[in-house]
């Protein structure tokens, strides 16, 4: 592809995206393809001769788009949003064009330093305590990971290293009987992290939650910690969830920190909800006690308009990360690293290679500005509050938990089967896409607002379709 | 940003990239900024009000570009290439615009199935044995990871699970005395993987290499395996390197497999060199014995024109991955998964969220075609062969190892200090960028060709500058 062709095709792809976005309203949110359908539409081997890029675009239209569940659709309300804003997309496009590898400072100083600056910006914007900042005295700082799963795993590995006085990176886990804690509603990545770190899922204690709030029962945590210590276990890692995946429940980090009392590494998983702290009205609830945690993760790639992947992990003491993950082969030795004046981010995460992901977060923070980001979060919260009203106004439905920010969890009073059947009918209609969960054993629907495209009209249309689906299920 | 603004700014970013590429020839390859310089040029907090995207682009020009080491520069010869081709960039841009999450099949059927198809395409193109294909009977298949570090770690975690009969994901490592093997030249990510998996670096045996070829001494591996078994250790994981980072050495996978004899998981790290197997003339050397391995990784994001990140891990038995990594919370349960007819890739790697990375690999395979990819690999090899000639033609220099594909490792006969000083002078000149290594204790320069932009004229200019640097170091 010549430079001129790149310009022409590049403009065509930009236009394709703009056209795709404009077409979303007409597309079924949830893909209707059957297993194997996309695979069967494609040849078994790569072409021998070059094909024009246009033929790829044609296949994207003909084969890929029908096989997509449209996460950028204004009526995608399942899971959590994975917002891909224009600014972030263009920031990430710049990163592709620049094609830099920021594994160490020396291989791309700006890759590292822009990242240090923008994670500090985001930390300040959310009111994250000062000790998590690069700019503050001490060894705190943030780093962009791909996902909160990786961030949590990394924090766990650092916790193991810290608990062994730095011996585990060389000597392994040894014979410690470690235990890991999260509520029963903690994200599944906590268990996966324990599996990958060699601890095994059996060591993860799922602490019961308050049936109403779905937040961790801190008294139960205290009891479990005490019992485990009595039984010869060594508490290693406690994860507080600020916004659970199921219902958006917010654990009381401060209370949890008191219960843990320095006995274990306290990690805050605020993957979805954390970014809402850019609004002062949510900050108290989301940040209370965070100064007592050792690590904190939130994902701008969920609600904060930053194209996947962009999950930011902050730690108060980066030496605990680098102590767990650092190794320096000859070909990475360099004067800047040895001077100690720079950050080499490859020691802050599992991977060596790293993309210039800070560009997209920088683009979001600048082109929206903090007031734009607050407005975006507030729109999502306001629309969810409107959903809450709609649920309350229809006797057939009931809220399952209190709305948490932009997440509403509700069900049909008629029971689990009716709830799931109505949701599936709505999803099958193509009008909107919700996902389900179970709360205290009972099925519920989740409606998570968060796309910058979603309007009140989208909520109205979704609600009307859901009412129709409920009617079909319940009998007219 | 309105759709119209997105089109306008998107075209501007595409043009910025094309202009950046055109300017590369004039830019110093290695950044000249001092530690902290980029950070100091940026404000301490995010802007309160939105800024136009143009102001971001202006800062990219003024602050970021001078802070970059230009990995896409035609005279970037350090480490390994991180090729960002136009086709891949546009494929990845499509992925950003679509913004789909392919964590499970149901959340984006095409994300999963296009990936299954293109990793099969690449496997066939390289002559990877049939049992690694999704399309073949059995449980083989490939998956796109971010980096080979993650792929190797994942293979190691799967090996632990397999060695415990599937007990470790629940029960942890237990009291096994496991050992892990790679040559002394194995990539540092092997040690990092052992650290993260809870085994610790002490269990990693660095097997000596043949001093001339730098490939693993398989007799030494046999002896170490036998000694370890005698000493009560349990060999767990053996990594064969097909193209080491230091010198491009290729371990004899077939011989290693014979030595291992099913005692441990055999993983092939062909991160850089593997993709060269798209050329039949390199296939025998790179693929010999691979049918005996359990896992194989290569990175299209290095030499194969696919914008970072895109590392493909293939396994012969995917049940060993999913057995090690699978957990299914309620909100991810769905009919397609339970039917067993689909692949849920989130069980094939540490992360849950996943980007539609197959699009960029698909774009590369189609727009270059296999003949285009072969021509690209052959260009790199031919240019490296030319470098080899230049080194041989100048008495002051000598080859340290035989050229491996497109990597040439050489030094000044005058010794380590002169070698490093000449390389540093070249790098400081801005003309080109090489990186160093140590071979058998002695310093050497590495020149890795691989960018689609590099021409014979670039090699000539680099060589002339290096000769000048050598002259400066050695005295006129």
């Amino acid at each position: 592809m010549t430079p001129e062709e790149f310009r022409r095709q590049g403009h065509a792809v930009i236009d394709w995206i703009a056209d795709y976005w404009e077409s979303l309203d007409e597309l079924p949110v949830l893909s209707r393809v059957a297993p194997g359908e996309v695979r069967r539409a494609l040849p078994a081997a790569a072409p021998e001769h070059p094909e024009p890029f246009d033929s790829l675009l044609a296949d994207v239209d003909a084969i890929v788009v029908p096989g997509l569940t449209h996460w950028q659709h204004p009526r995608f309300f399942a899971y959590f949003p994975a917002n891909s804003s224009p600014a972030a997309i263009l920031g990430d496009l710049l990163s592709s064009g620049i094609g830099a590898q920021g594994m160490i400072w020396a291989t791309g100083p700006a890759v590292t330093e822009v990242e240090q600056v923008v994670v500090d910006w985001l930390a300040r914007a959310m009111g994250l305590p000062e000790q998590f900042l690069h700019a503050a005295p001490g060894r705190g700082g943030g780093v962009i990971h791909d996902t909160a799963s990786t961030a949590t795993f990394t924090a766990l590995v650092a916790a193991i290293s810290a608990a062994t006085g730095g011996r585990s990176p060389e000597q392994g886990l040894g014979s410690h009987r470690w235990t890991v804690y999260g509520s029963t509603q903690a994200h599944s990545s906590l268990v996966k992290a324990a599996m990958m770190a060699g601890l095994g899922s059996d060591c993860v204690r799922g602490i019961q939650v308050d049936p109403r709030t779905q937040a961790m029962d801190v008294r139960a945590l205290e009891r479990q910690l005490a019992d485990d210590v009595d039984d010869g276990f060594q508490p290693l890692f406690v994860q507080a969830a600020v916004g659970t995946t199921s219902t958006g429940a917010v654990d009381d980090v401060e209370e949890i920190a008191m219960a843990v009392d320095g006995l274990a590494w306290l990690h805050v998983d605020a993957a979805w909800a954390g970014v809402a702290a850019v609004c002062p009205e949510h900050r108290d609830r989301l940040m209370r006690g965070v100064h007592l945690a050792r690590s904190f993760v939130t994902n701008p790639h969920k609600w904060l308009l930053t194209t996947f992947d962009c999950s930011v992990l902050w730690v108060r003491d980066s030496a605990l990360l680098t102590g767990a993950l650092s190794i320096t082969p000859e070909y990475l030795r360099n004067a800047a690293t040895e001077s100690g004046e720079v950050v080499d981010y490859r020691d802050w995460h599992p991977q060596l290679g790293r993309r210039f992901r800070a560009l997209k977060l920088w683009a979001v923070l600048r082109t929206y500005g903090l007031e734009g980001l607050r407005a975006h979060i507030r729109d999502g919260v306001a629309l969810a509050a409107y959903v809450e009203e709609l649920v309350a106004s229809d006797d057939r439905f009931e809220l399952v938990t209190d709305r948490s920010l932009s997440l509403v969890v509700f069900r049909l009073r008629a029971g689990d089967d009716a709830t799931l059947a109505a949701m599936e009918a709505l999803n099958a209609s193509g009008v909107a896409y919700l996902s389900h969960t179970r709360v205290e054993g009972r099925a519920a629907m989740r409606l998570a607002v968060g796309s910058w495209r979603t309007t009140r009209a989208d909520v109205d249309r979704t609600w009307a379709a859901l009412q129709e689906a409920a009617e079909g299920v319940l009998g007219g």
Side-chain angles (χ1 to χ4, degrees), chain A residues 396 463-473:
Chain A
R396 295 166 300 177
W463 185 249
L466 182 58
Q467 285 184 310
E468 195 179 325
E471 231 159 84
V473 166

Side-chain angles (χ1 to χ4, degrees), chain A residues 62-201:
Chain A
I63 299 167
V64 172
V65 169
L68 289 173
T69 291
H70 302 287
W71 282 70
Q72 304 308 315
H73 197 292
R75 293 184 300 280
F76 180 98
F77 298 120
Y79 310 105
F80 282 127
N83 257 317
S84 209
S85 69
I89 290 173
L90 299 182
D92 203 42
L93 173 57
L94 282 171
S95 170
S96 291
I98 288 170
Q101 271 296 338
M103 51 198 185
I104 54 178
W105 181 90
T107 63
V111 181
T112 297
E113 296 195 11
V114 173
E115 183 160 330
Q116 290 179 273
V117 169
V118 298
V119 297
D120 271 7
W121 282 12
L122 182 57
R124 286 187 209 275
M126 298 190 310
L128 202 66
E130 192 76 7
Q131 63 261 49
F132 287 101
L133 269 68
H134 289 282
R139 296 188 297 212
V143 56
I144 300 179
H145 277 237
D146 50 10
T147 62
S149 295
T150 303
T152 297
F153 170 70
T154 301
L156 182 60
V157 168
I160 294 170
S161 171
T164 61
R167 280 188 298 275
S168 65
E170 287 178 9
Q171 296 169 21
L173 298 185
S175 55
H176 300 268
R177 297 176 66 207
W178 275 311
T179 42
V180 168
Y181 304 78
S183 85
T184 57
Q185 301 304 305
H187 192 265
S188 58
S189 57
L190 178 64
V191 172
K192 194 168 177 178
M195 289 159 62
M196 295 189 296
L199 299 170
S201 58

Side-chain angles (χ1 to χ4, degrees), chain A residues 258-283:
Chain A
M258 299 303 170
V260 173
D261 195 24
L263 204 63
W265 183 296
L266 178 56
H267 174 65
V268 176
D269 171 11
W272 162 66
V275 298
V278 298
C279 298
E281 67 271 28
H282 302 306
R283 196 166 297 157

Side-chain angles (χ1 to χ4, degrees), chain A residues 164-340:
Chain A
T164 61
R167 280 188 298 275
S168 65
E170 287 178 9
Q171 296 169 21
L173 298 185
S175 55
H176 300 268
R177 297 176 66 207
W178 275 311
T179 42
V180 168
Y181 304 78
S183 85
T184 57
Q185 301 304 305
H187 192 265
S188 58
S189 57
L190 178 64
V191 172
K192 194 168 177 178
M195 289 159 62
M196 295 189 296
L199 299 170
S201 58
D202 286 353
C203 81
V204 182
R205 311 301 194 217
I207 306 298
Q208 68 185 63
V209 294
D210 177 292
R212 194 184 58 79
T213 65
Q214 296 289 298
M216 188 190 283
D217 176 340
V218 182
R219 297 292 85 76
L221 172 67
E222 278 175 348
R223 284 192 301 274
Q224 184 72 53
L225 284 166
D227 288 352
D228 284 338
V229 169
D230 284 349
D231 292 346
F233 291 104
Q234 191 178 334
L236 171 72
F237 191 84
V238 179
Q239 175 166 305
V242 169
T244 60
T245 308
S246 181
T247 65
V250 175
D251 291 345
D252 188 327
V253 178
E254 193 159 29
E255 286 277 302
I256 290 173
M258 299 303 170
V260 173
D261 195 24
L263 204 63
W265 183 296
L266 178 56
H267 174 65
V268 176
D269 171 11
W272 162 66
V275 298
V278 298
C279 298
E281 67 271 28
H282 302 306
R283 196 166 297 157
D284 272 2
R285 179 164 173 251
L286 301 173
M287 289 292 163
R288 193 173 54 231
V290 167
H291 61 288
L292 302 168
R294 291 223 181 160
S295 50
F296 179 96
V297 63
T298 193
N299 294 354
H301 69 227
K302 283 194 165 73
W303 194 1
L304 205 71
L305 301 155
T306 310
T307 303
F308 187 88
D309 44 8
C310 185
S311 172
V312 187
L313 172 70
W314 286 271
V315 291
R316 279 191 299 165
D317 185 355
S318 60
L320 298 177
L321 288 186
T322 58
L325 296 173
S326 191
I327 33 171
T328 304
E330 180 62 31
Y331 45 84
L332 294 178
R333 290 195 188 281
N334 67 89
T337 295
E338 273 146 36
S339 76

